[in-house]
Amino acid sequence: MSELLYQLPTRYPGLGLVFLLLIVIEFAWVKLKGHDGYDLKETGTTIAIMAGQVFARGLAAAALAPVYLWAYQNRLLDLDLRSAAALAALFLLSEFSYYWFHRFSHTVRWMWTNHSVHHSSTKLNFTAAGRLGWTNLFSGGWLFLVPLAWLGFPPVAVLGMFSANLAYQFFLHTEMFGRLGPLEWIFNTPAHHRVHHATNEACRDRNFGGVLIVFDRLFGTFAEAPEGEKLSYGLAGVEPSYNPFKIVFAEWIALFRNLFRTRSPGEAWQAVFGRP
């Protein structure tokens, strides 16, 4: 699902230019401050991973279009998106779906195999927003949006709202901005998302929201940055790599290696669907 974010600049070139301009500004800010916020080799690896998504997106689009169309053809309701109430409902349900997709991506190993790619960057900057896995079609994240089409929202509207949600999240991947006052209570912000990406013990599996942070507050997954601790990023216990294929497929290889070593159905279930 996250791949949709990087379809947006091709559909809306102005948005791509905004992304690029912000990356340039952030890089200049990092150099001016003497901050270690960029590793150019890591950024190059991210660009290679983004290039691989071109093929992955095409495969996913071809495979999933009939699924979303079938769900919509068998919809429960006929919803009029010219209504402000229907648009608001689509936004909130999309956000709710994203929250659970994101939470399961951290707590179910099968889904983590794809999502771990996004967390493999050791620097949190705007380019890291594009470090996304190639295997969403197989890890099943797209399943969380199908119910919205079945409910009665047109697939194009569902994917459009979800894409807007993900485009917003581009702006969260930075250390350039501090806290944003009262907005922190409702919206996901760079400060909240830094906690999400951090490997510090108090930060793990926290702050799963997309645009909003309210579902984290409601479901007990919200956390502030621990006082007096420097935040570290990357995959805990995993040596950073500059090999895009290793980053994309390492967790899948580890999963199947563990699966083949299991000796009972219970162990097999844990190897595939247990916590990462």
Side-chain angles (χ1 to χ4, degrees), residues 102 106 112 115 118-119 124 172-175 177-179 184 188-209 213 216-217 220-227 229-234:
H102 200 181
H106 278 253
W112 174 249
H115 189 61
H118 184 58
H119 284 265
L124 190 65
L172 303 179
H173 294 79
T174 184
E175 296 187 295
F177 304 113
R179 298 185 63 83
E184 304 270 338
N188 198 6
T189 65
H192 294 329
H193 205 59
R194 287 193 289 270
V195 170
H196 175 73
H197 272 268
T199 59
N200 305 52
E201 189 65 34
C203 301
R204 295 183 189 178
D205 299 335
R206 300 290 179 176
N207 299 359
F208 298 114
I213 203 68
D216 287 286
R217 295 186 184 277
T221 53
F222 174 75
E224 299 274 10
E227 292 188 17
E229 286 187 32
K230 177 179 172 59
L231 297 182
S232 299
Y233 307 109

Side-chain angles (χ1 to χ4, degrees), residues 156-179:
V156 171
V158 171
L159 296 178
M161 183 65 75
F162 206 82
S163 295
N165 188 309
L166 295 169
Y168 171 87
Q169 292 181 52
F170 172 89
F171 303 99
L172 303 179
H173 294 79
T174 184
E175 296 187 295
M176 224 178 11
F177 304 113
R179 298 185 63 83

Side-chain angles (χ1 to χ4, degrees), residues 226-245:
E227 292 188 17
E229 286 187 32
K230 177 179 172 59
L231 297 182
S232 299
Y233 307 109
L235 296 173
V238 177
E239 189 70 23
S241 173
Y242 296 115
N243 183 331
F245 294 98

